[in-house]
Amino acid sequence: GQNIDQPTEMTATEGAIVQINCTYQTSGFNGLFWYQQHAGEAPTFLSYNVLDGLEEKGRFSSFLSRSKGYSYLLLKELQMKDSASYLCAVGLSGGSYIPTFGRGTSLIVHP
Amino acid sequence: KAGVTQTPRYLIKTRGQQVTLSCSPISGHRSVSWYQQTPGQGLQFLFEYFSETQRNKGNFPGRFSGRQFSNSRSEMNVSTLELGDSALYLCASSLPTAGEAFFGQGTRLTVV
């Protein structure tokens, strides 16, 4: 079966750094995705890691360790608009990149 | 470039009825996947279509079905609606060899 775990909720202060962890146990692996979803809106793509290591993209970075089944999303210089749900998803193999999602981490950024 | 378009945006149906939702992918994207999103279960994969063929399927009952047309547009159908089918249904399209999936705004289905 597929199991993707991430914390349900996190809070942080504007300007701070927050790390959202994700662990996974899946029958296949074709990369790990992070998506952001604001309330009432569609998920939007943040990052895709297929190899181990850190990928940096502006204020957001994503890390992957395939041997540990572990990833994290790092958000720096937090802004109020970063308050959203962050979804970790694993792409399963079999010729498809369709991701299987965790339940998401609701991040609340306060002043 | 137009994004993924889902219609309708909102629907209210009665238990026992059936419903059809539509999704138009981004031009050039041949893979279309459908998800159900509820507060308790998060985003759950329903099925994926590629070149008019169902390529992957999630763990949903046979009441949930879909199809894809030659222009890559996709529809999903839910028959004999139950209260528990109330959810946001999201469609995503992607290139067959790329990782990023682009989501539509979703159809909010309420079953009463």
Side-chain angles (χ1 to χ4, degrees):
Chain A
Q2 329 296 347
N3 193 33
I4 301 171
D5 285 320
Q6 49 182 132
T8 304
E9 187 175 294
M10 298 181 71
T11 59
T13 305
E14 194 175 13
I17 299 174
V18 71
Q19 178 174 311
I20 303 174
N21 297 324
C22 172
T23 58
Y24 63 90
Q25 290 176 302
T26 56
S27 56
F29 183 81
N30 211 0
L32 189 131
F33 302 81
W34 284 96
Y35 282 81
Q36 179 192 60
Q37 186 177 24
H38 285 100
E41 297 183 13
T44 55
F45 172 81
L46 289 177
S47 66
Y48 175 56
N49 293 61
V50 65
L51 300 175
D52 290 352
L54 186 68
E55 298 266 350
E56 297 186 72
K57 194 186 292 186
R59 295 189 299 113
F60 293 5
S61 302
S62 56
F63 172 84
L64 174 67
S65 169
R66 288 173 296 171
S67 62
K68 295 181 180 177
Y70 168 69
S71 172
Y72 68 72
L73 180 70
L74 192 71
L75 292 77
K76 303 175 186 175
E77 300 169 18
L78 279 172
Q79 302 175 9
M80 299 295 289
K81 67 178 182 180
D82 296 330
S83 292
S85 182
Y86 291 86
L87 308 171
C88 170
V90 174
L92 303 180
S93 42
S96 172
Y97 289 82
I98 297 303
T100 295
F101 285 83
R103 296 192 180 188
T105 298
S106 177
L107 173 66
I108 300 168
V109 180
H110 53 83
Chain B
K1 200 174 194 181
V4 178
T5 304
Q6 290 188 247
T7 56
R9 290 292 310 278
Y10 303 93
L11 262 181
I12 300 175
K13 289 285 187 178
T14 306
R15 269 183 305 174
Q17 288 186 309
Q18 74 164 15
V19 67
T20 299
L21 313 181
S22 179
C23 171
S24 293
I26 291 172
S27 177
H29 286 191
R30 292 162 61 193
S31 171
V32 174
S33 54
W34 289 89
Y35 292 85
Q36 181 194 66
Q37 187 173 36
T38 58
Q41 297 297 320
L43 260 171
Q44 292 190 286
F45 172 69
L46 281 155
F47 28 65
E48 181 213 3
Y49 285 87
F50 177 75
S51 293
E52 301 179 65
T53 301
Q54 187 179 87
R55 187 160 67 170
N56 288 286
K57 189 176 188 305
N59 295 323
F60 277 80
R63 300 185 296 106
F64 292 81
S65 63
R67 58 177 176 167
Q68 185 180 36
F69 302 95
S70 58
N71 61 357
S72 294
R73 189 177 72 83
S74 177
E75 289 180 348
M76 68 163 280
N77 185 278
V78 188
S79 62
T80 319
L81 283 166
E82 301 176 0
L83 295 179
D85 297 332
S86 295
L88 179 67
Y89 289 87
L90 290 161
C91 163
S93 76
S94 63
L95 293 169
T97 56
E100 180 179 356
F102 295 82
F103 283 85
Q105 290 296 104
T107 294
R108 172 76 61 185
L109 172 65
T110 302
V111 182
V112 297

